[in-house]
Structures are given as C-alpha cells and as structure tokens.
Amino acid sequence: MFTYIGKKVDNLLAQLGGAAAMVRSVLFWLGRSRFEFDQAVRQSVSIGVDSFGVTALTSLFTGMVLALQAGNTIGNIFGEPIFVGTIVSFSLIRELGPVLTGVVVSGRAGAAVTAQIGTMAVTDQLDALYTLGTNPIRYLVIPRLFAFLLTMPVLTVFSNVFGVLGGYLVAVYALGVPGEVYFSDITTFMAVPDFMHGFIKSFIFAFMIATVCCYKGISTRGGAEGVGKSTTGAVVTTIVLILVLDYFLTAILTAFGI
C-alpha cells in the first residue's frame, strides 16, 4: 500500500513540476516572440462563443431553481417569499456564476483543447513544430491561455445575467413577487465588491483550466488511448480544482473585504 501511495505522490509531484515548467516557458516566450493573434482569435471563438449557449442555459435554469427553492422555503417560514432577488443574485454573482461557468467551459472547451494538443503530441506534430523552428508553447499554449483569460470573465458576466433573469421569471410568474421588488432586493444589497468577488474568481479559474488542459495535452503519450486518458484526466482535475480553489479564494477575498 505504501508503495502505491508513494507512486501516486511521485506522479502528482512530477505533474506539478511539469505544469510549473510550462508556465515558466509561457512567461519566457511572452516578451520574446510574436504573439499568434490569429490563433488567439480562433481559440477565443471556440472557447467563448461556442460555449455561450450551454453556459447561458445552465445558468438560466440554475437561477430558476434557486428562486423556486428560496421562495418556497422562505414562504414556509415567514408566509411570504421575501428577499428572493437577494438570495438568487448573491448566490450566482459571488459563487455559482464563476463556478458553473468554469465547470461548463472545462467540460466543453477544456476537453477539446486537451484532445487537440494531445493528438498533436501522439502524432509527433509537436516534434515537427520544433523541427520547423516553432516552439509549441508559443504557438499552441499562449494563444489558448489568452483565449481562456479573455472569454471566461465575459461568459461569467453573461452567466450571472441569465441566472438573475431565470430567477426573475420564477419569482414573478410562479411565486407572485412583483418585478420591481425582485430587482429592488438586488440593487439595495448588492455592491461592487460582490460583483468583483466572482469576477476575480473567473480569471483564476480560467488560468487554472488553461494550464491543466494544455499541460495534459502536451504530456500525452500512448496513442489514441493516451489522448482519451489525458482528456478525461484534464476534465476531472479541473472540476475538482475549481471546487477546491473556490473555497480558498472565497476565504481570501472575504478576508480582504471583497
């Protein structure tokens, strides 16, 4: 058993070291080479625009469920579904917006990025890039990292909007809460630091997803089976890290008054 645990720990440390080395290479090439703008635009469309529909749909129904649960619970306690807008907006903007967006983007775009780079790795296309004098970190990783950092916060904002809209529909048409009261609950208690709380998280989640997925792709070995394992591992790892990071980020940002 100790041998098994030792191998797992050794493998984990090796992956952490490899990911750190990749991030160091990204920082090295950022100021020393031409930025692949076309690649970054294509990846932004693939990661951001193509993920918009599923992100919006997920947030819309999450907001609807939050409003329904909050309204019914508070109604049973106080006799009226009060502060539904406050509960929905705070839950989405501070926590569920960036978390759900990160999970959706990880499962859709993150998996695609890992599969793309992993396929290039097992078919020796990465070696071909080296032969042609092109560094894979500069050509493949940096544009994808930029695309994640650009699109994830934007998707998070839209996720918040659709979630609040979903809560509004349920609050008004299912719970009988006046629309003015719903939005008044939001504007009365919501402040800029509450919005920034989730917005900052979206940047950190984006950086983590890009780093994990690109590293898993570059380190892929073992043909088609290896691509499948890397893709699955990337999605599972990023989703777990989103939930773990969310706790620590919440504690840190709250301590700073954000």
Side-chain angles (χ1 to χ4, degrees):
M1 184 181 71
F2 290 107
T3 303
Y4 174 80
I5 295 175
K7 288 182 179 179
K8 288 294 183 181
V9 172
D10 182 66
N11 182 55
L12 175 62
L13 293 175
Q15 292 192 45
L16 289 174
M22 188 191 74
V23 172
R24 184 186 63 183
S25 296
V26 167
L27 296 176
F28 174 83
W29 285 106
L30 272 177
R32 292 174 171 83
S33 63
R34 181 177 64 88
F35 181 70
E36 297 291 339
F37 183 77
D38 293 341
Q39 278 276 353
V41 171
R42 282 195 291 268
Q43 292 303 319
S44 296
V45 171
S46 175
I47 294 169
V49 177
D50 293 349
S51 299
F52 175 79
V54 65
T55 301
L57 191 64
T58 301
S59 298
L60 179 70
F61 281 94
T62 299
M64 293 172 71
V65 170
L66 280 173
L68 189 62
Q69 291 283 16
N72 289 333
T73 302
I74 296 175
N76 291 333
I77 297 174
F78 297 103
E80 290 291 337
I82 57 175
F83 300 123
V84 175
T86 304
I87 294 172
V88 171
S89 61
F90 270 81
S91 300
L92 284 167
I93 292 173
R94 289 179 66 91
E95 295 296 335
L96 291 179
V99 169
L100 288 176
T101 303
V103 170
V104 170
V105 171
S106 173
R108 204 210 68 80
V113 167
T114 305
Q116 290 167 1
I117 299 179
T119 301
M120 296 181 70
V122 298
T123 55
D124 298 326
Q125 293 182 55
L126 298 185
D127 294 334
L129 288 176
Y130 277 116
T131 303
L132 295 173
T134 301
N135 188 283
I137 299 296
R138 179 185 69 80
Y139 187 74
L140 298 175
V141 176
I142 291 179
R144 285 165 172 80
L145 176 62
F146 174 83
F148 273 107
L149 290 173
L150 176 65
T151 57
M152 269 278 291
V154 177
L155 285 174
T156 300
V157 172
F158 279 110
S159 175
N160 294 336
V161 171
F162 277 93
V164 171
L165 176 61
Y168 170 83
L169 295 175
V170 171
V172 173
Y173 297 106
L175 302 175
V177 177
E180 297 81 2
V181 174
Y182 179 86
F183 285 112
S184 176
D185 289 342
I186 298 175
T187 56
T188 300
F189 299 102
M190 183 69 63
V192 174
D194 298 308
F195 171 78
M196 293 305 299
H197 185 97
F199 197 65
I200 292 171
K201 285 181 178 180
S202 67
F203 277 102
I204 297 174
F205 291 161
F207 180 80
M208 181 273 295
I209 293 171
T211 300
V212 171
C213 292
C214 289
Y215 173 72
K216 286 286 188 180
I218 288 176
S219 61
T220 299
R221 300 292 183 273
E225 183 180 357
V227 173
K229 288 181 178 180
S230 293
T231 303
T232 303
V235 173
V236 171
T237 301
T238 50
I239 291 176
V240 171
L241 285 178
I242 285 172
L243 300 177
V244 172
L245 283 174
D246 185 51
Y247 171 80
F248 290 103
L249 289 173
T250 298
I252 293 170
L253 292 173
T254 302
F256 282 97
I258 301 176

